[in-house]
Amino acid sequence: MLKRLLLAACCLVLAACGRQPDVSTLRTDIGQRLEATYGEGVFKIVELDRKGSATDSTAPEGEDRRVVYYDIALEFDKDFTLDAWDRPGVASLVTLLGAGPRSISGVKSGGNLAGDQIIAHASAVYAKNADGQWVLSTPPGVSNAQAPAIDTGEPQPVSRRLLATLDDISRSVVRSNSSAGERIVQQELQRSVARINGRLSRMQQGYPLAGGPDRGEYVAFARALAALTHDGQTKITPLITGGSVDNIEMLRSGDAVIALAQADAADMAYEGNGPFYSKGAFTNLRALGGLYPELVHIVVRDDPAYRGVRSLKGKKVALGPAGSAVRTTLEHVLEAHGLQAGKDYTVVDMPFTASLPALTAGVIDATVHVIGIPATPLRDALAKAPLKLLPLDAKAIEALIEDEPALMALNIAQGVYPGQAQPVATVGMAALLLTTTELTRDEAIELTSRVFQAGYDLLGYGSAQGAQVSAASARMGVTVPLHDGADEALSALGNRP
């Protein structure tokens, strides 16, 4: 009998341990983090349901960590927008809750009202400290959405009335025996036939969208946009590419109809500078709008020796692959702090994702990149290794935005990355949705309206950056001319009540 009682007691103890940290601890910790990041009176936790826990298999050797899974309902206590570019928004919320973009619902483009609710399927990582207490550590990483299947739609019929009108015009020119009039009709008909054929082809096969490297933020956005516009009329086909330079060259060659690129790359292509010098100015390049900000991240090991950007003197710094459009911008950022490439620091040609483990291992001393927030590879790295972000100096920021038309003074808002308790001053540029003058006015209106109209839930389709897309900010940081149709569409969206 005594053995049975002891066994039962052990089972109760083990069960209690399995439920630690309990729902009360989780609710308190999440509430404190919400208040620290967004301030008092923004969110209240309406409901929190602990769904279970598991040992964290990715924990460092000798560290006891547990992943706690939970569902949470948050209610806004006041009107609040989560799509701002440089204050705590969706990026911070995704990190704080430990939720993937597709696991959060209720975020509204253009802002939420008091009483609105956000529902999330989330997770938190707890580590056991020396006193045996469970302490909220860092959330697990974000997973990007997979590309959806895209069906084939049918082209819309050609208007018989317009064809009849064209026939009348042609007959009248023949009757008038005007050679000049006949040349005008011939030229305009040739242009129209080419544009109609192109548009019908896109209607049937979709709009190829040059995205970016696999598992990158650009391709996640492209896939989310493809899923969002999958309605049988506007179909977008996301393409995996090498990034901004490749994307712009695909527009130039006609292999893509729309493309994602950083604002500095678009500006260089339009002017025929930098990596685009040999091809000449791409004057047919047009923008459909600015999507979201991409910010300069300077990442170093969490060492007191790194107090600011000037601490990188004499160090090995990864600036991405050689020949990338962003390399020029990154070198300018360091030059604004008195550091010249090859003289004051050693440039390492290494992609951002590969540079993070190299930084942790001590192979390099810093990695610098321009990327949307939250950058998934960096978020994962910060959750596992002692790294930190360096702020840019105020005078350097002032000089950069004066010299570089693509750059804006921005902050990486607090809470965007694990352990980031303060905003990080930096500069950034817009990620642009680009096309060419070959896109018709009506197509540009349709695409722009679909991308920027309020209520579209790009977050729900797997892009955390997509939550920052808004008609209110669509003209910010645009470095090439807006397509006439995009200009018209954005003006109409801005005038909506």
Side-chain angles (χ1 to χ4, degrees):
M1 183 68 179
L2 181 59
K3 288 183 178 180
R4 290 181 179 178
L5 289 173
L6 288 173
L7 182 60
C10 288
C11 288
L12 288 172
V13 169
L14 289 172
C17 290
R19 290 192 296 270
Q20 295 298 321
D22 60 18
V23 67
S24 176
T25 300
L26 184 62
R27 188 183 188 105
T28 299
D29 289 342
I30 298 300
Q32 288 175 346
R33 287 204 170 184
L34 285 167
E35 187 171 302
T37 301
Y38 294 95
E40 295 183 13
V42 175
F43 289 113
K44 65 180 176 184
I45 299 175
V46 178
E47 186 177 352
L48 192 150
D49 185 11
R50 189 182 187 279
K51 292 297 185 181
S53 63
T55 300
D56 184 4
S57 60
T58 66
E61 187 176 352
E63 186 173 335
D64 189 1
R65 294 201 314 202
R66 184 178 294 275
V67 183
V68 180
Y69 303 96
Y70 65 98
D71 290 346
I72 189 168
L74 301 174
E75 184 173 291
F76 287 90
D77 270 351
K78 62 181 179 181
D79 297 353
F80 195 83
T81 179
L82 288 168
D83 60 13
W85 281 19
D86 66 344
R87 66 172 184 264
V90 170
S92 299
L93 192 63
V94 165
T95 295
L96 188 153
L97 297 179
R102 298 185 68 179
S103 302
I104 296 179
S105 61
V107 178
K108 296 181 179 178
S109 178
N112 285 79
L113 301 177
D116 286 350
Q117 287 196 0
I118 287 180
I119 308 297
H121 307 291
S123 57
V125 175
Y126 278 80
K128 186 178 285 187
N129 64 17
D131 298 327
Q133 297 177 325
W134 289 103
V135 178
L136 183 60
S137 179
T138 55
V142 176
S143 297
N144 288 323
Q146 297 300 311
I150 299 178
D151 299 330
T152 301
E154 295 296 329
Q156 298 208 356
V158 179
S159 168
R160 293 184 181 275
R161 182 179 62 82
L162 289 176
L163 285 175
T165 302
L166 281 174
D167 187 53
D168 290 341
I169 292 172
S170 298
R171 289 175 185 275
S172 68
V173 170
V174 171
R175 286 195 298 268
S176 68
N177 199 27
S178 169
S179 58
E182 193 170 339
R183 282 197 303 271
I184 290 173
V185 171
Q186 181 181 347
Q187 290 169 355
E188 292 302 322
L189 283 176
Q190 285 174 338
R191 292 191 187 100
S192 297
V193 167
R195 291 170 74 86
I196 289 169
N197 279 335
R199 191 168 176 184
L200 287 176
S201 176
R202 293 190 286 272
M203 181 72 72
Q204 292 172 318
Q205 300 175 21
Y207 293 83
L209 167 56
D214 194 19
R215 294 186 294 276
E217 311 302 340
Y218 271 10
V219 81
F221 179 87
R223 287 168 172 168
L225 186 58
L228 187 65
T229 57
H230 177 212
D231 60 4
Q233 294 182 9
T234 304
K235 294 183 295 300
I236 290 173
T237 305
L239 305 176
I240 294 174
T241 71
S244 292
V245 174
D246 282 355
N247 295 353
I248 291 171
E249 290 306 326
M250 289 178 74
L251 284 179
R252 196 194 297 256
S253 66
D255 292 326
V257 178
I258 47 178
L260 298 170
Q262 291 173 337
D264 60 345
D267 181 54
M268 285 187 277
Y270 187 78
E271 299 291 342
N273 296 325
F276 306 98
Y277 179 78
S278 63
K279 298 290 181 67
F282 189 4
T283 56
N284 290 336
L285 188 63
R286 294 292 184 269
L288 297 179
L291 298 169
Y292 56 83
E294 298 192 279
L295 283 66
V296 172
H297 292 62
I298 300 180
V299 190
V300 296
R301 288 182 293 279
D302 192 5
D303 185 329
Y306 297 108
R307 298 179 302 278
V309 179
R310 289 184 176 84
S311 302
L312 300 182
K313 187 171 184 178
K315 305 299 183 183
K316 291 179 287 186
V317 182
L319 295 181
S324 62
V326 76
R327 172 70 69 87
T328 302
T329 298
L330 296 179
E331 289 182 350
H332 284 172
V333 169
L334 297 179
E335 284 174 7
H337 293 82
L339 302 176
Q340 292 187 358
K343 178 183 177 183
D344 297 304
Y345 63 93
T346 302
V347 176
V348 179
D349 298 328
M350 189 180 291
F352 186 58
T353 51
S355 70
L356 291 167
L359 175 62
T360 303
V363 176
I364 59 175
D365 301 300
T367 179
V368 188
H369 197 49
V370 180
I371 196 167
I373 57 174
T376 302
L378 177 56
R379 183 185 175 204
D380 291 345
L382 285 165
K384 297 173 183 177
L387 305 176
K388 66 181 180 181
L389 292 160
L390 292 181
L392 273 60
D393 294 350
K395 289 185 177 180
I397 291 174
E398 186 178 342
L400 284 165
I401 61 176
E402 184 176 344
D403 292 341
E404 295 285 337
L407 294 178
M408 300 172 279
L410 295 169
N411 289 320
I412 301 174
Q414 67 186 83
V416 167
Y417 296 107
Q420 184 203 340
Q422 301 293 330
V424 176
T426 187
V427 293
M429 65 188 75
L432 303 182
L433 187 60
L434 298 173
T435 187
T436 69
T437 54
E438 293 301 309
L439 194 72
T440 69
R441 168 186 164 277
D442 288 339
E443 286 178 297
I445 289 173
E446 174 70 12
L447 283 169
T448 306
S449 297
R450 286 189 167 269
V451 172
F452 290 100
Q453 70 180 357
Y456 264 13
D457 190 10
L458 286 158
L459 176 69
Y461 285 98
S463 172
Q465 289 76 24
Q468 296 172 292
V469 174
S470 167
S473 55
R475 298 177 189 271
M476 289 176 59
V478 176
T479 52
V480 299
L482 271 175
H483 194 291
D484 290 345
D487 190 25
E488 187 173 335
L490 292 175
S491 296
L493 289 172
N495 291 332
R496 287 184 181 178

